[in-house]
Amino acid sequence: QKEVEQNSGPLSVPEGAIASLNCTYSDRGSQSFFWYRQYSGKSPELIMSIYSNGDKEDGRFTAQLNKASQYVSLLIRDSQPSDSATYLCAPHTGFQKLVFGTGTRLLVSP
Amino acid sequence: EAGVAQSPRYKIIEKRQSVAFWCNPISGHATLYWYQQILGQGPKLLIQFQNNGVVDDSQLPKDRFSAERLKGVDSTLKIQPAKLEDSAVYLCASSLGSGDRYEQYFGPGTRLTVT
């Protein structure tokens, strides 16, 4: 079983819709979770962090965490073409270390 | 606040040659990471430093890769000799390395092509 699993996509949504990106992880000890956005040819950019069960909202982004189910998700409301990128899920696994999924490619069409 | 700096941005070498990458982390960040990212995959940790000590180098191919972080600030990653499968983007990241804040911030990366 992979440490972090994400659907590689592409996930295609029309402009203005809600994009839902999902991630499952295997390390039950993970307490902190991070979402990174990576545009083609660029490096990963931190967009959200979540530490507690439940929802955390930041602008158009909402991160959702369910530790019992070992599941974390990212919702993007009012999706824009500029949101088209690969989104990487990264649980903290101890010793200041993150493990990255392969990412979900999101395509937002005008 | 200046971000993580890396150089060079691009490098093309022939197999069996050597190459070195440089990274300067965000000021005050104690932890520095080198990742390898192959196209279509997530970043894979090669080595992690806390100040100038190695925390984890379990995935570093030590027969050909080496890294150092002298004085606990900037760092270099070297490949000698390079193989075709080393073609990837090499990312440097840094984090505060203390407390319960684990956010990592990435530099722009170095795209290595081995021919």
Side-chain angles (χ1 to χ4, degrees), chain A residues 3 8 31-34 36 38 40-46 48-51 56 86 88 92 94-103, chain B residues 9-10 31 33 35 37 40-45 48 50 55-56 91 95-109 111:
Chain A
E3 290 186 82
S8 61
Q31 297 295 315
S32 310
F33 302 85
F34 302 89
Y36 286 79
Q38 187 171 27
S40 180
K42 302 294 185 182
S43 61
E45 173 193 9
L46 179 65
M48 285 288 284
S49 58
I50 185 165
Y51 295 84
K56 178 183 177 183
T86 296
L88 300 165
H92 175 248
F95 300 108
Q96 302 280 336
K97 197 175 309 183
L98 304 182
V99 61
F100 288 84
T102 56
Chain B
R9 294 294 310 277
Y10 305 92
T31 310
Y33 312 82
Y35 290 90
Q37 188 174 27
Q41 298 181 19
K44 169 190 164 186
L45 180 67
Q48 175 185 351
Q50 178 80 5
V55 175
D56 184 356
L91 296 163
S95 70
L96 273 172
S98 63
D100 59 356
R101 299 297 299 274
Y102 307 119
E103 290 89 347
Q104 295 182 19
Y105 299 92
F106 285 86
R111 183 174 298 276

